[in-house]
């Protein structure tokens, strides 16, 4: 697993002040902005990489000084997701705090099909799938009662 930008990125929000555009993702951890690092996974998200990635993401979303409410996973370059990846995702969703919401955007066909066919219905229902980052941010703004620009 590599850590950089532009493959599998996560953004963590700690309150209702959501960045106005996707360029603000990863800029820092000022009050009300994105909290934490961006994480990247290889384009094939198999068991070992997925397990490590979701364990790291769990640490950043649960064991933190911030109250993380919204988690966005950008999956634009994740081309393959296997059953090990599904297991890691399912376990991550099961261990999210009750007030947390997971958004997955830019997900390609094969990983999406694998998620839907996995049979993890209770966990899938806790995920909001969006077509892109802008839609995910707009859904967060709508959820928090912030006017969408």
């Amino acid at each position: 697993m590599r850590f950089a930008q532009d493959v599998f990125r996560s953004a963590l929000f700690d309150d209702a002040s959501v960045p106005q555009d996707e360029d603000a993702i990863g800029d820092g951890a000022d009050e009300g902005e994105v909290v934490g690092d961006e994480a990247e996974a290889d384009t094939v998200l198999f068991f070992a990489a997925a397990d490590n990635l979701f364990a790291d993401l769990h640490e950043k979303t649960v064991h933190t000084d911030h109250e993380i409410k919204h988690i966005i996973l950008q999956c634009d370059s994740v081309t393959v997701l296997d059953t090990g990846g599904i297991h890691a995702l399912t376990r991550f969703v099961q261990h999210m705090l009750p007030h947390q919401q997971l958004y997955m955007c830019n997900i390609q066909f094969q990983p999406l099909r694998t998620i839907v066919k996995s049979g993890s219905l209770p966990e899938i229902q806790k995920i909001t799938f969006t077509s892109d980052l802008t839609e995910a941010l707009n859904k967060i703004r709508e959820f928090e009662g912030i006017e969408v620009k």
Side-chain angles (χ1 to χ4, degrees), residues 11 13 18-19 22 25 70-74 101-106 128-143 148:
F13 300 97
V18 179
E22 55 192 77
I25 301 291
H70 305 284
I71 304 160
I72 299 175
L73 300 178
Q74 290 182 258
Q101 178 63 42
L102 177 63
Y103 303 82
M104 294 182 78
C105 63
N106 300 89
T128 301
F129 294 94
T130 63
S131 60
D132 58 22
L133 180 58
T134 301
E135 183 182 358
L137 290 171
N138 286 339
K139 286 196 177 284
I140 293 170
R141 288 184 195 104
E142 184 179 306
F143 180 83
V148 178

Side-chain angles (χ1 to χ4, degrees), residues 1 15 20 31 33 59-60 65 76 80 98 107 127 137 140 143:
M1 183 166 58
D15 67 13
Q20 290 303 312
E31 190 69 31
E33 293 185 8
E59 287 298 314
K60 291 177 181 178
D65 295 335
D76 46 345
V80 176
I107 191 163
I127 301 171
L137 290 171
I140 293 170
F143 180 83

Side-chain angles (χ1 to χ4, degrees), residues 2 7-8 12 24-25 35 46 54 58 65 72 81 93 95 97 104 113-114 124 130 140 146:
R2 309 172 284 163
V7 175
F8 185 97
L12 314 173
I25 301 291
V35 177
F46 291 128
F54 286 114
H58 176 75
D65 295 335
I72 299 175
L81 183 67
V93 171
H95 290 97
L97 298 175
M104 294 182 78
R113 187 178 81 182
T114 303
I124 292 172
T130 63
I140 293 170
I146 301 169

Side-chain angles (χ1 to χ4, degrees), residues 2-73:
R2 309 172 284 163
F3 286 92
Q5 292 179 328
D6 298 328
V7 175
F8 185 97
R9 294 173 291 180
S10 62
L12 314 173
F13 300 97
D14 66 347
D15 67 13
S17 299
V18 179
Q20 290 303 312
D21 59 38
E22 55 192 77
D23 293 333
I25 301 291
D27 285 347
D30 296 329
E31 190 69 31
E33 293 185 8
V34 177
V35 177
D37 300 322
E38 291 185 1
E40 177 182 309
D42 296 315
T43 57
V44 179
L45 200 54
F46 291 128
F47 182 74
D51 212 32
N52 290 337
L53 181 116
F54 286 114
D56 183 53
L57 193 56
H58 176 75
E59 287 298 314
K60 291 177 181 178
T61 58
V62 174
H63 305 290
T64 178
D65 295 335
H66 302 277
E67 183 183 57
I68 304 298
K69 294 167 61 174
H70 305 284
I71 304 160
I72 299 175
L73 300 178

